[in-house]
């Protein structure tokens, strides 16, 4: 039902050639690039102390390298369009958790958002970091499903991305932390 307004491209977020090809395909199809959203991510659901390093490499590549590759590939057309970069991080990138390498990758993304903002300052490109708490999604499948307790939906995150990208020229929403409503306001165990 997208009437030709939707194109899908299968790509590995941590592969530079795949990311460049996805951006090129988008430009070929639509003629310009108004926004990119780096949303690929994964977790190994273990700790540095007792985890399996075999999965850590993919997690770091997808969660940290992937967004950097997307920004690099999209930067020139985004400058031309005075577009937007949206990085979907995590509450885990704002609240430290003991031994959590996933959280460290999201802290890296939080820092990357600010580094990119400094890099594009004065070009009209805007950068937003969205840091959600627990989201009921396929992200949790390797851990046996979404943990019990309040969760956001993927629709909440999509609505937030749409709101950010719909802001008028001259408005830069730097960061948004979005959490599910909990019974204990201020409780930070939502990552």
């Amino acid at each position: 039902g997208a009437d030709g307004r939707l194109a899908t491209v299968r790509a590995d977020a941590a592969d530079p050639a795949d990311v460049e090809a996805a951006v090129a395909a988008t430009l070929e199809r639509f003629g310009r690039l108004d926004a990119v959203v780096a949303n690929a991510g994964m977790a190994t659901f273990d700790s540095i102390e007792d985890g399996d390093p075999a999965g850590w490499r993919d997690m770091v590549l997808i969660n940290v390298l992937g967004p950097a590759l997307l920004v690099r590939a999209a930067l020139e057309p985004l400058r031309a369009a005075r577009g937007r970069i949206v990085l979907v991080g995590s509450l885990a990138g704002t609240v430290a958790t003991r031994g959590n390498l996933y959280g460290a990758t999201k802290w890296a993304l939080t820092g990357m958002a600010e580094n990119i903002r400094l890099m594009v300052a004065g070009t009209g490109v805007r950068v937003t970091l969205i840091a959600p708490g627990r989201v009921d999604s396929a992200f949790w499948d390797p851990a046996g499903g979404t943990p019990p307790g309040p969760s956001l939906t993927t629709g909440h995150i999509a609505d937030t991305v749409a709101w950010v990208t719909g802001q008028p020229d001259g408005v830069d929403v730097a960061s948004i932390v979005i959490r599910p409503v909990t019974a204990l306001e201020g409780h930070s165990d939502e990552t």
Side-chain angles (χ1 to χ4, degrees), residues 75-164:
L75 200 51
E76 185 178 326
L78 286 173
R79 282 183 174 139
R82 299 175 58 88
R84 293 190 183 273
I85 297 167
V86 179
L87 305 174
V88 179
S90 172
L91 187 59
T94 65
V95 178
T97 52
R98 184 177 46 215
N100 187 316
L101 187 58
Y102 167 78
T105 68
K106 293 306 181 172
W107 276 94
L109 193 59
T110 299
M112 188 186 308
E114 289 306 311
N115 292 349
I116 293 168
R117 185 183 328 288
L118 292 171
M119 181 179 71
V120 300
T123 67
V125 175
R126 286 130 318 146
V127 180
T128 301
L129 173 72
I130 298 175
R134 183 182 303 130
V135 179
D136 185 13
S137 72
F139 170 85
W140 295 101
D141 289 354
T146 305
S151 297
L152 298 164
T153 67
T154 55
H156 292 131
I157 307 309
D159 289 347
T160 304
V161 170
W163 179 80
V164 165

Side-chain angles (χ1 to χ4, degrees), residues 20-49:
E20 289 170 14
V23 170
T26 302
L27 289 168
E28 183 177 322
R29 173 78 182 265
F30 298 106
R32 62 183 282 151
L33 189 60
D34 295 307
V36 295
V37 180
N39 187 47
M42 66 163 288
T44 55
F45 302 103
D46 58 13
S47 75
I48 292 171
E49 180 178 9

